Amino acid sequence: MNKSPLDQWHQMLDAMDITQLDQVIDKQCVFHSPIVFKPQEGKRLTIMYLSAAFQMFKEADYFKYIKEIVQGQQAMLEFNAEIDGILIDGVDIITWNDDGLITEFKVMVRPLKGIDLIKDKMLAQLSNMSTFDKLKLKGGVLLDKLK
């Protein structure tokens, strides 16, 4: 029996290695960011945002899931983090399909000071992408839309 995407998510975070992320995200996945108004649609954009967030939290002073609520094919994971001395509370709301692939990933964060800090850190992570990676991402997003 395959592991649930939630088990795989926890395993990747415990190992501090998200190279398997491509195997748990559905091609039509939608990512809801706490700092971007419009939902980000598609596997490549979801992986881009989750990879940047992973790197940001990997460099954080502290990050830990403290509560998990699972019902059917949905989960709410509450976390605490500390970045640059700012305490952050948040939730990841994850939905997956019958194939065990994540179809929606929504992140909510508080307080406002934490959101502002995350916005700055995420922008820094995303701007550090190489030109080649940005071109691959844009090309992949276009290909996803054609499919």
Side-chain angles (χ1 to χ4, degrees):
M1 182 172 149
N2 289 342
K3 292 183 180 183
S4 79
L6 199 54
D7 291 339
Q8 291 175 302
W9 177 253
H10 284 302
Q11 192 173 50
M12 285 185 281
L13 292 183
D14 290 345
M16 300 299 279
D17 179 10
I18 58 167
T19 55
Q20 303 300 309
L21 196 55
D22 186 61
Q23 296 175 18
V24 297
I25 303 293
D26 187 78
K27 67 180 181 179
Q28 301 299 322
C29 188
V30 178
F31 181 79
H32 301 269
S33 168
I35 58 172
V36 178
F37 175 73
K38 183 179 176 193
Q40 303 300 300
E41 298 180 3
K43 183 175 188 169
R44 284 176 178 77
L45 285 176
T46 300
I47 290 174
M48 179 190 74
Y49 277 94
L50 289 175
S51 297
F54 173 80
Q55 189 61 39
M56 175 189 62
F57 283 118
K58 185 177 176 181
E59 297 169 2
D61 303 320
Y62 174 82
F63 177 90
K64 184 176 181 171
Y65 283 116
I66 59 167
K67 189 184 297 181
E68 183 173 300
I69 301 168
V70 180
Q71 182 177 355
Q73 293 175 302
Q74 296 181 320
M76 191 278 312
L77 309 175
E78 182 179 354
F79 64 85
N80 292 140
E82 183 177 343
I83 301 175
D84 297 345
I86 295 175
L87 299 176
I88 298 167
D89 298 310
V91 293
D92 292 333
I93 302 170
I94 304 170
T95 304
W96 58 92
N97 61 21
D98 290 337
D99 294 327
L101 298 174
I102 296 172
T103 57
E104 184 177 39
F105 201 109
K106 183 183 293 187
V107 181
M108 303 173 95
V109 175
R110 64 166 300 281
L112 181 58
K113 187 186 274 190
I115 293 170
D116 290 339
L117 177 64
I118 286 173
K119 181 178 105 183
D120 293 342
K121 296 278 186 184
M122 287 289 289
L123 287 174
Q125 287 295 330
L126 295 171
S127 68
N128 285 336
M129 288 176 66
S130 70
T131 302
F132 181 69
D133 285 341
K134 288 176 186 174
L135 287 172
K136 281 194 323 188
L137 175 67
K138 286 181 182 178
V141 169
L142 289 173
L143 284 175
D144 287 346
K145 289 184 179 190
L146 292 174
K147 291 180 182 175

